[in-house]
Amino acid sequence: MTAQVDYLVVLFTTTSGASGELLGSDERELVQLVWQLVDIKNRKLGKVNELLIKPDLSDLTEEKEEEDVVEENVEEKNGSKADCVFTATSLETALNLFHLQLTNEVNSAGAGTSVCLCTDGQLHIRQVIHPEATGKNILVPDCFYSFFDLRKEFKKHFPTSDLKAVNVHLMAESLSIPTDVPFMWDPSASLDPSVVMSADIPVQLVPIMSSIVLALLAQPFCHSFCNPERVSEKFETGTCSKMEKVCDSTVIRARGLPWQSSDQDIARFFRGLNIAKGGAALCLNAQGRRNGEALVRFVSEEHRDLALQRHKHHMGNRYIEVYKATGEDFLKIAGGTSNEVAVFLSREDQIIVRMRGLPFTATHEQVLTFFSPGEGLKETCPVSGGKDGILFVRYPDGRPTGDAFVLFACEEHAHCALKKHKEILGRRYIELFKSTAAEVQQVLNRYSSAPLIPVAPAPLVSMLPTMSLLPPPGSMRDCLRMRGLPYTASIEDILTFLGEFTHDIRPHGVHMVLNQQGRPSGDCFIQMTSAERALQASQRLHKHVMSSQHGTNSRYVEVFPCSAEEMGLVLMGGSLSHTHTHTHARTRSGTGLSPPPCKSRRLSPPSYSFTPAPPILSAEAAAALYPPMGQVLLSPRPLPPGHAYYPASAQLYMNYTAYYPSPPGSPTTVGFFPSPSLSSPAGLVRMPGLTYSNGVKDLINAVQGYQSPVESVSLLSSSLIGQSSGGDAPLMSLPALLTKPEGQYMDLTLL
């Protein structure tokens, strides 16, 4: 719309909550609409209309809904100063009535047909009408998708004024228009903008706004109302290049989204604000699944600031947190460089469906057959573009990942395709999810540039002496490895499974192995009193069924004998693959440890390599610090009495362990490994079991008085290494630190 409109509709809204600059920030319902028609050509003003909306009641009956009628009241009945007063019992009825009355008034004037709204700022349209109508699934009339911001039109003639400080009083004062509205409503004078506005104030403000419009149309301004503000009716999908420049002031991070939400759901949550093309990017976690966060890019900083006001607004039954983000954050998620992906996503207005769990041998023809209609089914979901509408996700070496993305021409076809969720292709069931262009970029970027599962760096391992990690030949195999436990299995379930062999378990000799997410991995190591009893237990219990008290699943469990060194190696993140070579021969069946837990795809793949960190200690010093692996495991640290999750009877055997870098001991115990003294004036302290909220400042406060400089404290993935240096801090001060009684106890290890 480049030409000047024939009519302007000066509109003002109020809600049952905050007003002023906080209008619409509290999700309160719209309760009042006041408007007046302005004839641009003839410089005439129409009647002041007021529409009162009663808040919706959740217990409305069908009979009450049928009585949802519009009543026109007389001015004397309610004391309103408006020329016409209307009442509606729902938002949908109110919006339709507003559109009907406006159309009738324009037709009766007969001076033109083009009409556009004019409001005091952006909030009335973008933060009140559109969000509430979207939340109630109400179709908004077309007249609400374009409007003039009176403040911006005023600023074109008064450029020195601050747009955020402009209000009706300031505009009227600058144009020498008398105002009768109480000064107490002036937002600059109000100390609490959350106060509900009186119903009489909007009726007085609308005529003043109409007078401002006429003043701008007259000499000397001769203002022309053209190029109104637009509200996007539909979110446009698209691609984003990593080379594209994204302004930091246009990006937000939304957190707490339902896991099944799509980019269209995000656009629906921010309805009324204009999101940039392809500007909704869902974030994935380390396993490639959605983590409930999204990065959203808006067309301008103004829209970003309005989006921040929707912090803790609701999407369904969940509230969404909204924070500022940077352009770099957005490009990490939505940016891409692959030409193949760019060609795949070049087809606009396509619906993307993600397939997960495909057989590695799956082909384009099998995918097309999978989405073809079955026998007796009338619904069809043809893939858009045939083979060109299918994109397989692969590793850099060309190996398939089991994921693929498929294009469909419309929502109907995509909805039909999603009905095939968990149907069988080959010998595997396939998971189907509605996806986005940003998710395609993110998945391709992760698989092609770095391992999908983050692997912890190895600063701790680099301090170990350079030696072979494989167990020496002839080690006493007095331990058991149990593989394939139910994920809900507890210590009591394991003791019940072992039966008579429970009496042969060493104190604290049950080591439940956790994965990097802190969940049971299905593996367990048990220290027995003798190799003979370990062998008898493995022969008698191998592939017997274990049941869990906390779940209905029962699984057979593999039981193998192993040595303490082999157990310690696996618990510390090592791998006992049969492909390793050593000076002594060992068969795959002889170890009972192949494939080890770390060979699992859910954990650290051995094929991923990282640049080793430089060793902090020499090999001789590290060898003096670290006792033999078997000695450490055979001398476990004592557990404090009582545990929140297990009865006292299980305390004798419980000893939880994570893969790496946690040591093979309980993370809740207090104590440290004994070590010989060093000639060096410095020492290393390891603090496992820290909470994720601990920062460097907290740790410096914890070691205050032991002369540990800030630059010598390093936070690792789940442990901390602090280096204490200085001539005035002897090594003898570290054991005192280990038993420091102040505050919460910590698990410290002297290295």
Side-chain angles (χ1 to χ4, degrees):
M1 185 184 299
T2 57
Q4 181 162 275
V5 296
D6 299 326
Y7 295 98
L8 279 182
V9 182
V10 177
L11 177 68
F12 199 96
T13 65
T14 56
T15 67
S16 59
S19 58
E21 298 304 317
L22 297 181
L23 181 67
S25 62
D26 51 3
E27 290 187 288
R28 303 301 292 269
E29 291 184 334
L30 180 66
V31 296
Q32 185 184 29
L33 276 169
V34 181
W35 74 93
Q36 185 176 25
L37 188 67
V38 180
D39 187 343
I40 299 295
K41 294 181 178 179
N42 301 321
R43 307 291 196 272
K44 294 182 179 180
L45 300 178
K47 298 182 295 183
V48 177
N49 302 276
E50 181 182 9
L51 175 58
L52 301 177
I53 307 170
K54 297 179 181 179
D56 291 342
L57 300 177
S58 57
D59 56 347
L60 284 177
T61 61
E62 294 183 1
E63 295 181 358
K64 291 183 180 180
E65 290 178 355
E66 292 178 358
E67 297 175 358
D68 185 12
V69 296
V70 179
E71 301 176 357
E72 183 172 352
N73 299 331
V74 195
E75 180 180 348
E76 290 77 15
K77 289 184 179 181
N78 53 18
S80 175
K81 297 181 181 180
D83 299 322
C84 297
V85 180
F86 306 93
T87 303
T89 57
S90 68
L91 178 63
E92 183 176 12
T93 304
L95 295 180
N96 292 333
L97 173 64
F98 170 82
H99 186 256
L100 177 63
Q101 294 294 329
L102 181 61
T103 303
N104 294 336
E105 190 172 359
V106 170
N107 292 336
S108 62
T113 57
S114 58
V115 183
C116 190
L117 303 180
C118 180
T119 61
D120 177 29
Q122 305 271 320
L123 303 180
H124 302 274
I125 301 296
R126 298 192 184 276
Q127 297 287 74
V128 176
I129 294 179
H130 281 282
E132 183 179 346
T134 302
K136 296 180 178 180
N137 295 319
I138 296 174
L139 185 63
V140 178
D142 295 339
C143 61
F144 289 101
Y145 284 96
S146 61
F147 66 97
F148 287 101
D149 185 348
L150 188 57
R151 299 183 183 184
K152 291 185 178 180
E153 302 300 320
F154 172 81
K155 186 175 173 59
K156 293 179 181 178
H157 301 281
F158 297 88
T160 57
S161 57
D162 185 8
L163 188 61
K164 295 182 179 180
V166 172
N167 54 59
V168 175
H169 283 268
L170 179 61
M171 290 186 288
E173 183 180 353
S174 301
L175 297 173
S176 301
I177 298 175
T179 58
D180 298 329
V181 182
F183 180 72
M184 61 174 295
W185 180 84
D186 187 357
S188 61
S190 178
L191 300 178
D192 187 8
S194 61
V195 175
V196 179
M197 182 185 298
S198 172
D200 295 333
I201 295 179
V203 179
Q204 301 176 48
L205 281 175
V206 167
I208 298 176
M209 294 171 59
S210 300
S211 300
I212 294 174
V213 171
L214 294 179
L216 292 177
L217 292 172
Q219 297 288 344
F221 304 108
C222 298
H223 184 72
S224 177
F225 286 89
C226 55
N227 298 321
E229 299 275 335
R230 298 287 183 179
V231 178
S232 299
E233 298 185 30
K234 182 180 179 182
F235 170 70
E236 297 184 29
T237 60
T239 60
C240 178
S241 172
K242 283 188 176 294
M243 305 304 295
E244 186 175 346
K245 186 177 180 180
V246 179
C247 183
D248 292 343
S249 60
T250 61
V251 182
I252 62 96
R253 179 185 296 273
R255 189 166 62 186
L257 299 168
W259 66 268
Q260 72 273 23
S261 58
S262 65
D263 54 353
Q264 297 294 339
D265 296 321
I266 297 173
R268 179 183 174 87
F269 176 78
F270 290 107
R271 183 63 57 85
L273 308 178
N274 295 345
I275 300 176
K277 184 177 181 180
L282 294 165
C283 300
L284 307 180
N285 60 14
Q287 287 73 41
R289 303 174 186 268
R290 297 173 185 174
N291 62 1
E293 293 188 6
L295 289 165
V296 185
R297 178 189 179 190
F298 293 93
V299 295
S300 66
E301 181 179 0
E302 180 184 26
H303 289 244
R304 192 281 307 266
D305 293 339
L306 293 177
L308 293 174
Q309 294 185 12
R310 301 195 187 183
H311 179 60
K312 291 195 174 180
H313 282 205
H314 289 77
M315 179 184 289
N317 295 327
R318 305 187 61 171
Y319 71 84
I320 308 301
E321 301 175 17
V322 183
Y323 304 99
K324 291 182 180 179
T326 64
E328 182 181 0
D329 295 337
F330 182 81
L331 290 177
K332 287 180 181 179
I333 301 300
T337 57
S338 173
N339 293 330
E340 182 182 11
V341 177
V343 173
F344 177 78
L345 298 176
S346 61
R347 305 179 184 88
E348 298 184 359
D349 299 329
Q350 300 285 334
I351 310 301
I352 306 174
V353 171
R354 180 180 179 182
M355 305 181 68
R356 191 166 63 195
L358 288 170
F360 293 149
T361 57
T363 62
H364 291 82
E365 289 76 11
Q366 290 177 319
V367 174
L368 293 175
T369 304
F370 178 80
F371 288 110
S372 60
E375 297 181 0
L377 296 179
K378 297 181 180 180
E379 295 183 338
T380 60
C381 47
V383 177
S384 178
K387 293 183 179 181
D388 295 335
I390 303 173
L391 176 64
F392 287 101
V393 183
R394 302 182 183 276
Y395 288 110
D397 57 4
R399 293 181 295 115
T401 64
D403 283 26
F405 293 94
V406 184
L407 292 178
F408 294 93
C410 60
E411 288 282 354
E412 182 181 356
H413 290 170
H415 181 70
C416 178
L418 292 174
K419 293 181 179 179
K420 294 180 175 289
H421 180 60
K422 289 195 174 182
E423 289 191 7
I424 303 299
L425 192 157
R427 295 184 177 180
R428 304 190 62 176
Y429 72 86
I430 308 301
E431 297 177 288
L432 301 176
F433 307 94
K434 198 172 181 180
S435 186
T436 66
E439 184 175 359
V440 176
Q441 295 278 23
Q442 192 176 173
V443 172
L444 267 293
N445 291 343
R446 289 200 174 192
Y447 275 112
S448 61
S449 59
L452 187 62
I453 306 297
V455 184
L460 188 61
V461 176
S462 62
M463 297 188 302
L464 293 172
T466 305
M467 61 180 67
S468 174
L469 291 177
L470 283 177
S475 300
M476 181 179 295
R477 306 175 68 78
D478 57 351
C479 300
L480 290 177
R481 180 194 179 189
M482 302 176 65
R483 186 170 64 189
L485 299 173
Y487 293 120
T488 57
S490 63
I491 299 295
E492 289 184 334
D493 297 328
I494 295 175
L495 299 181
T496 303
F497 176 79
L498 292 175
E500 62 179 277
F501 298 100
T502 302
H503 303 288
D504 301 302
I505 301 176
R506 292 178 181 268
H508 312 295
V510 179
H511 300 269
M512 296 287 290
V513 183
L514 308 180
N515 60 19
Q516 289 186 345
Q517 288 73 44
R519 299 175 181 176
S521 64
D523 282 36
C524 175
F525 285 95
I526 301 175
Q527 294 176 266
M528 307 292 288
T529 56
S530 65
E532 291 75 13
R533 295 296 290 174
L535 180 60
Q536 293 176 12
S538 65
Q539 292 176 346
R540 188 175 303 179
L541 301 176
H542 183 58
K543 291 193 175 181
H544 281 208
V545 175
M546 175 187 290
S547 300
S548 173
Q549 300 177 0
H550 304 283
T552 58
N553 295 331
S554 299
R555 302 182 63 176
Y556 76 86
V557 179
E558 299 175 284
V559 184
F560 306 102
C562 66
S563 65
E565 286 78 14
E566 292 171 331
M567 174 178 62
L569 175 59
V570 174
L571 293 179
M572 292 299 290
S575 175
L576 291 175
S577 174
H578 67 281
T579 58
H580 286 144
T581 58
H582 201 262
T583 55
H584 63 283
R586 177 169 290 153
T587 62
R588 183 172 184 174
S589 58
T591 63
L593 289 170
S594 181
C598 291
K599 291 286 286 182
S600 174
R601 189 171 63 177
R602 293 179 291 111
L603 297 175
S604 307
S607 58
Y608 298 147
S609 60
F610 292 86
T611 305
I616 300 177
L617 298 177
S618 63
E620 294 77 9
L625 278 173
Y626 282 88
M629 194 75 67
Q631 178 182 345
V632 172
L633 291 174
L634 292 176
S635 303
R637 294 169 284 177
L639 278 172
H643 195 276
Y645 303 100
Y646 297 96
S649 60
Q651 286 292 304
L652 182 63
Y653 309 98
M654 185 186 66
N655 199 359
Y656 267 84
T657 301
Y659 270 105
Y660 173 81
S662 299
S666 172
T668 60
T669 57
V670 180
F672 59 94
F673 297 126
S675 63
S677 60
L678 296 177
S679 59
S680 170
L684 297 176
V685 176
R686 180 185 182 196
M687 302 167 67
L690 295 174
T691 61
Y692 292 109
S693 60
N694 286 119
V696 174
K697 292 183 179 180
D698 300 328
L699 300 172
I700 292 300
N701 294 334
V703 298
Q704 185 177 5
Y706 298 95
Q707 300 186 15
S708 178
V710 177
E711 60 271 11
S712 63
V713 178
S714 303
L715 280 173
L716 303 182
S717 60
S718 62
S719 62
L720 175 139
I721 299 295
Q723 181 178 1
S724 176
S725 61
D728 298 331
L731 188 62
M732 293 300 292
S733 66
L734 290 177
L737 169 63
L738 298 176
T739 57
K740 184 177 181 180
E742 301 174 3
Q744 185 180 5
Y745 67 82
M746 296 176 291
D747 185 6
L748 304 179
T749 303
L750 182 63
L751 304 182

